[in-house]
Amino acid sequence: MPPTVPFNDLHPRFAAAAAEYRAAVERVLGRAWYVLGPEVEAFEQAFAAYHGGGHAVGVANGTDAIELALRAAGVGPGDEVVTVAHTAVATACGVERSGARPVFADIRADDYTLDAAALAAAITPRTRAVVAVHLYGQAARLTDLRAVADRHNLLLIEDCAQAHGARDEQGRRVGTVGDLAAFSFYPTKNLGAFGDGGAVLARDPALAARARRLRNYGQTDRYHHADPGGFNSRLDEIQAAMLTVALGRLDADNAERNRLAERYLGGLALADLPHPRPGCEHTYHLFVARVPGRDAFRSRLAARGVQTLIHYPVPVHLQPAYAHLGGREGDLPETERAAREVVSLPLFVGLTDAQQDAVIAAVNADSLAHRPAA
């Protein structure tokens, strides 16, 4: 039976502001300027202002954003970068494309983000940077990670692809604590484009300027190139125009995600549900529970008409593409346990209460039917 409740549906997000999105596209078409023009500049300024200042650099996608952030800061061949293996593979891909070697450290069991003690244990004389991933809409423990990074004179790069607008315990927006931050605007993100897109955020104008040059072949001005190794990673004008509209709706959309998350938290009969840490603002990019026997659970929910996904079933250190790094099963116990147990339930802007009630009913009926014997 096809799912009656999809895992995600992007139609409502467009429908909620269709006239604004169409006007944005028409504005670009009327100007006939499609690459690195006034729409990109306007979005960069608005995105930086949303984060309280600094400098935003629009790029082609989130993977490029990680690579450019690292390269702008001088990270490259011979360097090591510590990050997590419980993430989209794009995090490690961006590190490798910078020329550096990813080194994986374990996550915390309670929020799936980089464990500061594991980070400290992974540091070697070759370590130059840390990429802290804010996962599922929850901020990593930035105060702890910043302290470790500063103690070892390391760069702190924030991977904010899943946490647009989230705040940590000190009320700081993700992307504002690290030396640089990388964002993805893939369509399913909380701040999603209508195609690929990304951004680098930096407080230091020199780092931002270097990222800006590198995204465009190392160019300073037309036909003059200062930085070797630059490439084409430019945010399109149409995507920037659409993102400016979406940015104006981001806080309201995140509030709606929180409302939906609260309904799940109040209604689901599952033992291990996501909760924001005290003082944090979770943005629930994904609503991820832990379920022992996860694969059978997903099959039963599918039979009841509920579509689910797994983020992520195979940790990066166990992916064939990264076998050359020497990772083995058992290296990262919390990461590997999460990979066996996590399941993502439908949560998106536009999910109706009726659809969500159907999910809750299906999960609770399954939990009752498969409750462990006393």
Side-chain angles (χ1 to χ4, degrees):
M1 182 180 74
T4 57
V5 182
F7 178 75
N8 199 356
D9 184 357
L10 297 179
H11 290 92
R13 184 168 69 87
F14 174 76
E20 293 178 71
Y21 285 122
R22 288 194 173 99
V25 174
E26 288 294 335
R27 191 168 63 244
V28 175
L29 295 177
R31 192 182 284 123
W33 188 343
Y34 301 118
V35 177
L36 292 187
E39 297 292 346
V40 171
E41 291 180 9
F43 173 70
E44 288 175 339
Q45 292 171 8
F47 194 63
Y50 180 81
H51 291 88
H55 308 270
V57 181
V59 301
N61 55 68
T63 310
D64 285 2
I66 293 171
E67 175 186 356
L68 287 165
L70 289 165
R71 291 182 57 203
V75 176
D79 296 330
E80 293 178 350
V81 176
V82 181
T83 189
V84 294
H86 187 61
T87 182
V89 74
T91 304
C93 184
V95 173
E96 280 211 317
R97 283 174 42 188
S98 76
R101 176 185 177 89
V103 174
F104 300 111
D106 214 353
I107 58 172
R108 295 179 58 96
D110 53 357
D111 61 15
Y112 307 106
T113 65
L114 179 59
D115 183 274
L119 163 62
I123 293 170
T124 76
R126 298 168 73 99
T127 307
R128 283 286 312 282
V130 181
V131 175
V133 180
H134 305 298
L135 201 68
Y136 303 153
Q138 175 91 290
R141 294 173 182 260
L142 288 168
T143 299
D144 296 343
L145 299 177
R146 178 87 263 183
V148 175
D150 289 348
R151 189 160 62 246
H152 294 272
N153 195 30
L154 305 177
L155 291 159
L156 177 61
I157 312 292
E158 298 180 59
D159 180 347
C160 306
Q162 295 191 13
H164 306 85
R167 294 182 185 270
D168 74 352
E169 292 91 339
Q170 296 187 32
R172 301 172 296 188
R173 284 201 195 278
V174 299
T176 66
V177 179
D179 298 286
L180 297 110
F183 293 81
S184 168
F185 304 129
Y186 187 76
T188 59
K189 305 300 185 186
N190 291 35
L191 179 59
F194 289 72
D196 272 314
V200 175
L201 190 65
R203 296 285 163 182
D204 184 336
L207 292 177
R210 184 152 195 250
R212 199 178 303 279
R213 294 192 300 271
L214 287 169
R215 74 169 176 189
N216 193 28
Y217 306 112
Q219 182 172 281
T220 53
D221 55 272
R222 195 174 183 86
Y223 303 128
H224 293 86
H225 304 264
D227 294 271
F231 60 101
N232 180 350
S233 182
R234 302 178 298 220
L235 180 64
D236 293 338
E237 282 284 283
I238 284 179
Q239 297 301 341
M242 304 283 261
L243 281 165
T244 299
V245 176
L247 181 61
R249 305 180 62 85
L250 177 59
D251 287 345
D253 285 353
N254 283 344
E256 173 63 4
R257 288 176 178 273
N258 269 268
R259 186 188 74 83
L260 293 167
E262 289 298 325
R263 293 188 86 242
Y264 272 148
L265 293 171
L268 288 171
L270 289 176
D272 199 336
L273 295 171
H275 290 276
R277 298 193 309 274
C280 290
E281 291 184 19
H282 204 307
T283 56
Y284 290 102
H285 171 62
L286 297 166
F287 190 91
V288 179
R290 283 183 187 263
V291 180
R294 183 263 320 279
D295 295 338
F297 171 80
R298 291 188 67 221
S299 295
R300 295 192 299 267
L301 255 62
R304 294 175 183 271
V306 175
Q307 188 179 53
T308 61
L309 290 179
I310 306 171
H311 299 87
Y312 298 92
V314 182
V316 181
H317 72 295
L318 300 180
Q319 293 281 358
Y322 291 90
H324 62 284
L325 298 177
R328 292 182 173 82
E329 192 167 348
D331 286 351
L332 305 173
E334 290 299 340
T335 294
E336 293 165 31
R337 184 168 75 89
R340 292 190 299 269
E341 295 180 353
V342 294
V343 58
S344 302
L345 300 178
L347 192 155
F348 54 89
V349 175
L351 180 70
T352 67
D353 287 357
Q355 287 176 313
Q356 192 175 30
D357 288 342
V359 176
I360 293 170
V363 170
N364 290 351
D366 182 83
S367 298
L368 182 64
H370 294 87
R371 181 178 296 166

